[in-house]
Amino acid sequence: ETPRDRNDFDSKANHLGDGSRTPVKTRRHSWRQQIFLRVATPQKACDSPSRYEDYSELGELPPRSPLEPVCEDGPFCPVPEEKKRTSRELRELWQKAILQQILLLRMEKENQKLQASENDLLNKRLKLDYEEITPCLKEVTTVWEKMLSTPGRSKIKFDMEKMHSAVGQGVPRHLRGEIWKFLAEQYRLQHPFPSKQQPKDMPYKELLKRLTSQQHAILIDLGRTFPTHPYFSAQLGAGQLSLYNILKAYSLLDQEVGYCQGLSFVAGILLLHMGEEEAFTMLKFLMFEMGLRKQYRPDMIILQIQMYQLSRLLHDYHRDLYNHLEEHEIGPSLYAAPWFLTVFASQFPLGFVARVFDMIFLQGSEVIFKVALSLLGSHKPLILQHENLETIVDFIKNTLPNLGLVQMEKTISQVSEMDIAKQLQAYEVEYHVLQEELIDSSPLSDNQRMDKLEKTNSSLRKQNLDLLEQLQVANGRIQSLEATVEKLLSSESKLKQATLALELERSALLQTVEELRRQGTAEPHGPEPDFMGPRPAGD
């Protein structure tokens, strides 16, 4: 295409814009001009084909753009102007657009809520992915639902026999977390004077903002806590992060205990059945109000006492098993320390551990002794078959936790019937007496004896404080019971007075009736008026 051809093209366009016709020149034009002339130059219907020029050498023409307005006058026809909208129409359009935008935002929020609820349901399914050892019947579930839905339940004392019966028959898995909170409320109502060792009331979210010196130990144990459970198996997944938050917050709240191995399993069991903050609250309840924190103290003296108490229980209840274990020098610390520190969660199936927690929330921390004693006693014949230390310990640690759901449920039913509270107290005193005797009889130097005496003294002081707290709680209960008795006596005297007044009123009414009868019989005419109505025979 030459400049001259371009000028010819522009001149033709100008003529067409003026509405004039431009004859087709006989000389050869450029392909752009030929296309333009072919489109812009109108042809009559009677024109013969010979009048059109031959453009076959140009090949196939490109299609017209679909966005280009189609006009009868060609591509340069004027575009029709849109009709102007009134202010009312514009206002309606704006209102419609705003409403649509609001609707879109609401739909987006609802979608986010739906996604969050789906994630919550998925997490709940993951959390409760374990096999129950006591399938809960519909009737028992209905009983639990009625108790949980009672208005103002946190201030109402429920019948303990009814709760024991319900826990014995089973706890529905999907309501277990809520039932544990309900049992904690009932425990507080039954024991209205809390221990003096209550922690400072610090908000959970505030604790999460701080740093803890126990971070390294907590992170190491995260992967060891329920490694096969889908909720905790993902490294630094939702389960491990929530567990880390709970353990970190507790280590900041309880500076004396901080973090101890075994706590992660206790917190993990709670986290499987409730939310993160609720699990932290229940962990505080178990540690401070149920007394579990004593066994996690750095000196571990309480754990040693617990091992001695378990040994004495075996001696009293299963003497042959106790002798067999003593013969092979197997103390409870070789197999039972993880049972106490993790509440059986590190070795036993989750369904069994959940049932143990049901009983702990109902009866207290002595349930751990009951479960250990029942497990060893019910499997005594199998343990007695082994004749060396390695096989006995291996059986108790590895084989015993996997002996079947029926045996585990039998263990739970035995636990609900046992009462060993007085024996545990006696064994604890016995332990301290034996420790004193050992110190006195052992040929130690003065420094060693002083060190032992100081340690014993500190432990006795702690024990003293615990006993003082228990004494204060007992005194508080006695005072409350005495006040209740006084109220009952006063109400009884009031009832007696009211009964006396009613009897006097009754006798006065009877006298009145007799007088009226006499008056009625004294009259010669008229039927006797029926003041009393029909009377039973013999009245």
Side-chain angles (χ1 to χ4, degrees), residues 294 425 428-429 432 460-474:
K294 296 176 185 177
Q425 290 178 357
E428 186 174 356
V429 174
H432 289 293
L460 286 173
R461 282 179 182 174
K462 288 181 180 178
Q463 185 185 1
N464 231 355
L465 290 172
D466 295 340
L467 290 172
L468 282 173
E469 289 177 6
Q470 293 177 10
L471 186 61
Q472 289 175 355
V473 170

Side-chain angles (χ1 to χ4, degrees), residues 92-109:
E92 289 176 353
L93 285 174
W94 272 108
Q95 290 176 352
K96 186 177 180 181
I98 291 169
L99 290 174
Q100 288 178 350
Q101 188 66 24
I102 292 172
L103 182 62
L104 287 173
L105 290 173
R106 286 181 180 173
M107 289 176 66
E108 187 177 353
K109 287 182 180 178

Side-chain angles (χ1 to χ4, degrees), residues 436 439-440 446-460:
E436 291 177 1
I439 291 171
D440 294 337
D446 293 338
N447 291 332
Q448 290 176 339
R449 187 170 295 179
M450 285 294 293
D451 291 339
K452 284 198 171 183
L453 285 171
E454 285 177 359
K455 289 180 181 178
T456 307
N457 197 16
S458 63
S459 67
L460 286 173

Side-chain angles (χ1 to χ4, degrees), residues 15 17 36 52 68 81 89 103 105 110 139 156-157 191 197 250 307 313 361 410-411 498 508 533:
H15 285 302
F36 173 78
Y52 293 98
E68 184 180 350
E81 295 184 0
E89 291 174 342
L103 182 62
L105 290 173
E110 291 298 324
E139 294 80 7
I156 300 173
K157 285 186 181 180
H191 305 82
Q197 295 180 348
Y250 185 81
M307 296 298 102
L313 287 170
F361 277 101
K410 183 180 177 183
T411 300

Side-chain angles (χ1 to χ4, degrees), residues 108-121:
E108 187 177 353
K109 287 182 180 178
E110 291 298 324
N111 285 332
Q112 290 175 356
K113 289 180 181 178
L114 184 62
Q115 186 69 28
S117 64
E118 288 177 356
N119 292 335
D120 290 342
L121 287 172

Side-chain angles (χ1 to χ4, degrees), residues 385-412:
Q385 292 176 4
H386 299 278
E387 293 296 335
N388 58 68
L389 184 145
E390 290 80 7
T391 56
I392 293 173
V393 174
D394 180 70
F395 176 84
I396 295 174
K397 281 187 173 182
N398 300 319
T399 310
L400 183 63
N402 301 305
L403 284 179
L405 302 180
V406 176
Q407 188 62 46
M408 291 179 182
E409 181 54 33
K410 183 180 177 183
T411 300
I412 296 298

Side-chain angles (χ1 to χ4, degrees), residues 278-310:
E278 294 172 335
F280 177 72
T281 304
M282 287 297 101
L283 180 63
K284 285 196 301 181
F285 170 78
L286 289 175
M287 295 292 282
F288 287 93
E289 298 185 50
M290 286 287 186
L292 284 184
R293 72 180 295 274
K294 296 176 185 177
Q295 67 186 19
Y296 297 104
R297 285 174 178 167
D299 54 13
M300 291 288 181
I301 291 175
I302 299 299
L303 185 63
Q304 295 174 15
I305 295 172
Q306 289 171 336
M307 296 298 102
Y308 177 78
Q309 289 170 319
L310 179 59

